[in-house]
Amino acid sequence: MNVIVLLAIILCLLMVVVGGRQGFRSFLSLFLNFGVLFITIFLMTNPKNSPIILTFIACTIISWISLFYINQTNSKTITAFMATMVTIVVLLLFITFVTKKTMIQGFSEESTEEISIFSLYIGVNFAQIGASVIIMSTIGAIMDVAISIASSMHEIFYRNPSISRKALFTSGLGIGRDILGTDTNTLFFAFFGGYLSLLIWFKDLSYSLGEIVNSKVFSAEIMTIFCAGIGIALIIPIASFINAYYLVRTREKTL
Protein backbone atom coordinates (compact mmCIF):
# COMPACT_ATOMS: atom_id res chain seq x y z
CA MET A 1 0.00 0.00 0.00
CA ASN A 2 1.15 3.49 -0.77
CA VAL A 3 2.84 5.02 2.28
CA ILE A 4 0.92 8.29 1.89
CA VAL A 5 -2.41 6.47 1.87
CA LEU A 6 -1.37 4.39 4.90
CA LEU A 7 -0.35 7.51 6.86
CA ALA A 8 -3.62 9.20 5.89
CA ILE A 9 -5.61 6.22 7.17
CA ILE A 10 -3.66 6.18 10.45
CA LEU A 11 -4.20 9.91 10.90
CA CYS A 12 -7.91 9.58 10.16
CA LEU A 13 -8.33 6.72 12.65
CA LEU A 14 -6.49 8.57 15.41
CA MET A 15 -8.46 11.78 14.84
CA VAL A 16 -11.75 9.85 14.91
CA VAL A 17 -10.79 7.91 18.06
CA VAL A 18 -9.67 11.06 19.88
CA GLY A 19 -12.10 13.62 18.50
CA GLY A 20 -15.10 11.59 17.36
CA ARG A 21 -17.23 13.36 14.76
CA GLN A 22 -15.32 16.58 15.26
CA GLY A 23 -12.08 14.71 14.64
CA PHE A 24 -13.47 13.31 11.40
CA ARG A 25 -14.55 16.79 10.31
CA SER A 26 -11.05 18.00 11.13
CA PHE A 27 -9.62 15.30 8.89
CA LEU A 28 -11.94 16.24 6.02
CA SER A 29 -11.06 19.91 6.49
CA LEU A 30 -7.46 19.11 5.51
CA PHE A 31 -8.61 18.09 2.05
CA LEU A 32 -11.06 20.99 1.80
CA ASN A 33 -8.34 23.48 2.65
CA PHE A 34 -5.99 21.79 0.18
CA GLY A 35 -8.66 22.16 -2.49
CA VAL A 36 -9.02 25.87 -1.69
CA LEU A 37 -5.26 26.39 -1.94
CA PHE A 38 -5.03 24.42 -5.20
CA ILE A 39 -7.82 26.46 -6.82
CA THR A 40 -6.25 29.70 -5.54
CA ILE A 41 -2.87 28.82 -7.03
CA PHE A 42 -4.53 27.88 -10.32
CA LEU A 43 -6.37 31.22 -10.45
CA MET A 44 -3.16 33.12 -9.65
CA THR A 45 -1.63 31.94 -12.92
CA ASN A 46 -4.07 34.22 -14.75
CA PRO A 47 -2.48 37.70 -15.00
CA LYS A 48 -5.94 39.29 -14.85
CA ASN A 49 -6.52 38.03 -11.29
CA SER A 50 -5.02 39.87 -8.33
CA PRO A 51 -3.05 37.50 -6.04
CA ILE A 52 -3.81 39.72 -3.03
CA ILE A 53 -7.58 39.58 -3.57
CA LEU A 54 -7.43 35.84 -4.23
CA THR A 55 -5.40 35.36 -1.05
CA PHE A 56 -7.93 37.28 1.00
CA ILE A 57 -10.79 35.21 -0.42
CA ALA A 58 -8.85 31.98 0.18
CA CYS A 59 -8.04 32.98 3.77
CA THR A 60 -11.72 33.77 4.37
CA ILE A 61 -12.81 30.36 3.09
CA ILE A 62 -10.05 28.54 4.98
CA SER A 63 -10.99 30.37 8.19
CA TRP A 64 -14.65 29.46 7.66
CA ILE A 65 -13.79 25.79 7.13
CA SER A 66 -11.36 25.62 10.04
CA LEU A 67 -13.63 27.43 12.50
CA PHE A 68 -17.27 26.89 11.53
CA TYR A 69 -17.09 23.53 9.77
CA ILE A 70 -14.93 21.87 12.44
CA ASN A 71 -16.25 23.58 15.59
CA GLN A 72 -19.70 24.52 14.24
CA THR A 73 -21.27 27.97 14.57
CA ASN A 74 -21.25 29.38 18.09
CA SER A 75 -20.17 32.53 19.89
CA LYS A 76 -16.56 31.34 20.19
CA THR A 77 -16.10 30.61 16.50
CA ILE A 78 -17.90 33.83 15.50
CA THR A 79 -15.58 36.04 17.56
CA ALA A 80 -12.52 34.04 16.50
CA PHE A 81 -13.52 34.44 12.84
CA MET A 82 -14.01 38.20 13.25
CA ALA A 83 -10.63 38.61 14.94
CA THR A 84 -8.94 36.49 12.28
CA MET A 85 -10.36 38.53 9.39
CA VAL A 86 -9.43 41.88 10.97
CA THR A 87 -5.87 40.64 11.52
CA ILE A 88 -5.63 39.28 7.96
CA VAL A 89 -6.66 42.65 6.50
CA VAL A 90 -4.06 44.49 8.57
CA LEU A 91 -1.37 41.94 7.68
CA LEU A 92 -2.20 42.06 3.97
CA LEU A 93 -1.65 45.80 3.90
CA PHE A 94 1.52 45.57 5.98
CA ILE A 95 3.08 42.60 4.17
CA THR A 96 2.31 44.03 0.72
CA PHE A 97 4.19 47.18 1.72
CA VAL A 98 7.10 45.22 3.19
CA THR A 99 7.55 42.93 0.17
CA LYS A 100 7.64 45.90 -2.19
CA LYS A 101 10.25 47.70 -0.11
CA THR A 102 12.49 44.71 0.60
CA MET A 103 12.18 43.18 -2.90
CA ILE A 104 12.34 39.60 -1.65
CA GLN A 105 9.91 38.37 -4.29
CA GLY A 106 10.91 36.02 -7.08
CA PHE A 107 13.62 33.38 -7.22
CA SER A 108 16.94 33.57 -5.43
CA GLU A 109 20.34 33.25 -7.08
CA GLU A 110 20.66 29.78 -5.53
CA SER A 111 17.80 28.70 -7.83
CA THR A 112 19.35 30.17 -10.98
CA GLU A 113 20.75 26.90 -12.27
CA GLU A 114 17.49 24.99 -11.83
CA ILE A 115 15.29 27.60 -13.57
CA SER A 116 17.74 28.72 -16.26
CA ILE A 117 16.02 26.61 -18.94
CA PHE A 118 12.60 28.17 -18.23
CA SER A 119 11.14 31.52 -19.27
CA LEU A 120 10.34 33.88 -16.39
CA TYR A 121 8.08 36.08 -18.50
CA ILE A 122 4.85 34.60 -17.19
CA GLY A 123 2.99 37.86 -16.56
CA VAL A 124 2.56 37.35 -12.80
CA ASN A 125 3.25 40.02 -10.18
CA PHE A 126 5.91 38.34 -8.05
CA ALA A 127 5.71 41.04 -5.35
CA GLN A 128 2.06 40.19 -4.74
CA ILE A 129 2.82 36.47 -4.97
CA GLY A 130 5.48 36.94 -2.27
CA ALA A 131 2.96 38.71 -0.04
CA SER A 132 0.42 35.93 -0.66
CA VAL A 133 2.94 33.25 0.33
CA ILE A 134 3.64 34.99 3.64
CA ILE A 135 -0.07 35.42 4.40
CA MET A 136 -0.78 31.76 3.60
CA SER A 137 2.06 30.78 5.93
CA THR A 138 0.56 32.73 8.85
CA ILE A 139 -3.16 31.97 8.57
CA GLY A 140 -2.92 28.72 10.53
CA ALA A 141 -1.10 30.26 13.50
CA ILE A 142 -3.47 33.25 13.55
CA MET A 143 -6.58 31.05 13.66
CA ASP A 144 -5.02 28.89 16.37
CA VAL A 145 -4.41 31.88 18.64
CA ALA A 146 -7.83 33.37 17.85
CA ILE A 147 -9.80 30.27 18.84
CA SER A 148 -7.58 29.64 21.88
CA ILE A 149 -8.21 33.13 23.25
CA ALA A 150 -11.93 32.98 22.39
CA SER A 151 -12.39 29.63 24.17
CA SER A 152 -10.47 30.76 27.26
CA MET A 153 -12.26 34.10 27.54
CA HIS A 154 -15.68 32.47 27.14
CA GLU A 155 -14.82 30.05 29.94
CA ILE A 156 -13.70 32.94 32.19
CA PHE A 157 -16.91 34.82 31.42
CA TYR A 158 -19.17 31.86 32.18
CA ARG A 159 -17.33 31.22 35.43
CA ASN A 160 -17.63 34.89 36.41
CA PRO A 161 -20.59 36.45 34.54
CA SER A 162 -20.30 39.75 36.42
CA ILE A 163 -16.74 40.43 35.28
CA SER A 164 -16.16 43.87 33.78
CA ARG A 165 -15.19 44.43 30.17
CA LYS A 166 -11.79 45.84 31.16
CA ALA A 167 -11.02 42.90 33.45
CA LEU A 168 -12.10 40.44 30.76
CA PHE A 169 -9.93 42.20 28.18
CA THR A 170 -6.96 42.11 30.57
CA SER A 171 -7.53 38.39 31.11
CA GLY A 172 -7.48 37.87 27.35
CA LEU A 173 -4.16 39.69 27.09
CA GLY A 174 -2.77 37.52 29.89
CA ILE A 175 -3.82 34.38 28.05
CA GLY A 176 -2.29 35.73 24.85
CA ARG A 177 1.05 36.40 26.52
CA ASP A 178 1.33 32.73 27.44
CA ILE A 179 0.50 31.71 23.86
CA LEU A 180 2.77 34.28 22.21
CA GLY A 181 6.09 32.73 23.20
CA THR A 182 5.22 29.15 22.34
CA ASP A 183 3.64 29.96 18.96
CA THR A 184 6.49 32.17 17.78
CA ASN A 185 8.97 29.47 18.78
CA THR A 186 6.88 26.92 16.89
CA LEU A 187 7.18 29.02 13.74
CA PHE A 188 10.91 29.46 14.31
CA PHE A 189 11.64 25.76 14.68
CA ALA A 190 9.30 24.90 11.80
CA PHE A 191 11.53 27.08 9.61
CA PHE A 192 14.72 25.32 10.68
CA GLY A 193 13.06 21.93 10.34
CA GLY A 194 11.83 22.67 6.83
CA TYR A 195 15.03 24.37 5.67
CA LEU A 196 17.65 22.27 7.45
CA SER A 197 18.91 20.95 4.12
CA LEU A 198 19.30 24.53 2.88
CA LEU A 199 21.39 25.46 5.93
CA ILE A 200 23.56 22.36 5.40
CA TRP A 201 23.97 23.40 1.76
CA PHE A 202 25.07 26.85 2.86
CA LYS A 203 27.70 25.21 5.07
CA ASP A 204 28.95 22.98 2.25
CA LEU A 205 29.30 26.03 -0.01
CA SER A 206 31.29 27.76 2.75
CA TYR A 207 28.84 30.67 3.02
CA SER A 208 29.87 33.19 5.65
CA LEU A 209 27.34 34.31 8.24
CA GLY A 210 26.91 37.59 6.36
CA GLU A 211 26.27 35.79 3.06
CA ILE A 212 23.68 33.54 4.69
CA VAL A 213 21.83 36.43 6.33
CA ASN A 214 21.87 38.50 3.13
CA SER A 215 20.82 35.69 0.77
CA LYS A 216 17.33 36.20 -0.64
CA VAL A 217 16.05 32.71 0.16
CA PHE A 218 17.13 32.97 3.81
CA SER A 219 15.88 36.54 4.21
CA ALA A 220 12.50 35.66 2.70
CA GLU A 221 11.96 32.84 5.18
CA ILE A 222 13.12 34.90 8.14
CA MET A 223 10.73 37.66 7.08
CA THR A 224 7.95 35.07 6.90
CA ILE A 225 8.69 34.12 10.52
CA PHE A 226 8.73 37.76 11.61
CA CYS A 227 5.49 38.56 9.77
CA ALA A 228 3.84 35.48 11.27
CA GLY A 229 5.05 36.61 14.70
CA ILE A 230 3.61 40.07 14.05
CA GLY A 231 0.32 38.43 13.10
CA ILE A 232 0.28 36.42 16.33
CA ALA A 233 1.11 39.55 18.35
CA LEU A 234 -1.67 41.50 16.59
CA ILE A 235 -4.36 38.85 16.99
CA ILE A 236 -3.98 38.81 20.79
CA PRO A 237 -5.29 42.35 21.53
CA ILE A 238 -7.73 42.20 18.60
CA ALA A 239 -9.24 38.89 19.72
CA SER A 240 -9.26 40.00 23.37
CA PHE A 241 -11.08 43.23 22.53
CA ILE A 242 -13.66 41.58 20.26
CA ASN A 243 -14.41 38.82 22.76
CA ALA A 244 -14.63 41.21 25.71
CA TYR A 245 -16.94 43.54 23.78
CA TYR A 246 -19.11 40.70 22.45
CA LEU A 247 -19.53 38.89 25.78
CA VAL A 248 -20.28 41.99 27.85
CA ARG A 249 -22.59 43.34 25.15
CA THR A 250 -24.48 40.04 25.11
CA ARG A 251 -24.83 40.18 28.92
CA GLU A 252 -26.14 43.73 28.78
CA LYS A 253 -28.78 42.77 26.23
CA THR A 254 -30.07 39.95 28.40
CA LEU A 255 -30.50 42.17 31.46
Side-chain angles (χ1 to χ4, degrees), residues 112 136 226 246:
T112 304
M136 290 293 186
F226 287 159
Y246 178 86

Side-chain angles (χ1 to χ4, degrees), residues 44-213:
M44 282 183 182
T45 59
N46 188 341
K48 296 181 181 179
N49 297 328
S50 171
I52 298 298
I53 295 176
L54 289 174
T55 299
F56 177 75
I57 295 173
C59 288
T60 303
I61 298 174
I62 290 171
S63 300
W64 184 90
I65 293 172
S66 301
L67 293 173
F68 296 123
Y69 176 70
I70 296 176
N71 301 298
Q72 300 182 338
T73 303
N74 52 59
S75 58
K76 292 181 287 187
T77 53
I78 290 173
T79 53
F81 180 78
M82 293 170 59
T84 299
M85 297 316 301
V86 171
T87 306
I88 288 298
V89 171
V90 175
L91 273 183
L92 271 173
L93 297 174
F94 174 74
I95 293 174
T96 301
F97 173 78
V98 169
T99 51
K100 286 182 178 179
K101 291 298 181 180
T102 55
M103 295 185 294
I104 60 169
Q105 68 274 4
F107 299 99
S108 63
E109 61 181 15
E110 288 81 11
S111 305
T112 304
E113 184 177 348
E114 288 81 0
I115 64 175
S116 59
I117 61 174
F118 301 104
S119 173
L120 300 182
Y121 296 99
I122 58 177
V124 176
N125 189 325
F126 276 99
Q128 293 187 4
I129 292 293
S132 298
V133 170
I134 296 176
I135 286 292
M136 290 293 186
S137 302
T138 62
I139 181 65
I142 290 173
M143 286 189 299
D144 178 52
V145 175
I147 193 63
S148 297
I149 292 178
S151 298
S152 302
M153 290 183 67
H154 275 67
E155 186 66 25
I156 292 172
F157 181 78
Y158 291 134
R159 296 285 182 180
N160 184 13
S162 61
I163 189 172
S164 66
R165 181 175 294 159
K166 182 178 180 181
L168 189 58
F169 174 73
T170 304
S171 299
L173 292 180
I175 296 166
R177 291 190 190 99
D178 295 333
I179 300 173
L180 182 62
T182 54
D183 272 30
T184 49
N185 275 287
T186 299
L187 295 170
F188 178 77
F189 288 114
F191 161 75
F192 277 99
Y195 282 83
L196 183 60
S197 58
L198 176 65
L199 298 175
I200 295 174
W201 188 48
F202 281 154
K203 180 181 179 299
D204 291 340
L205 294 178
S206 301
Y207 270 43
S208 65
L209 179 61
E211 289 174 326
I212 293 175
V213 173

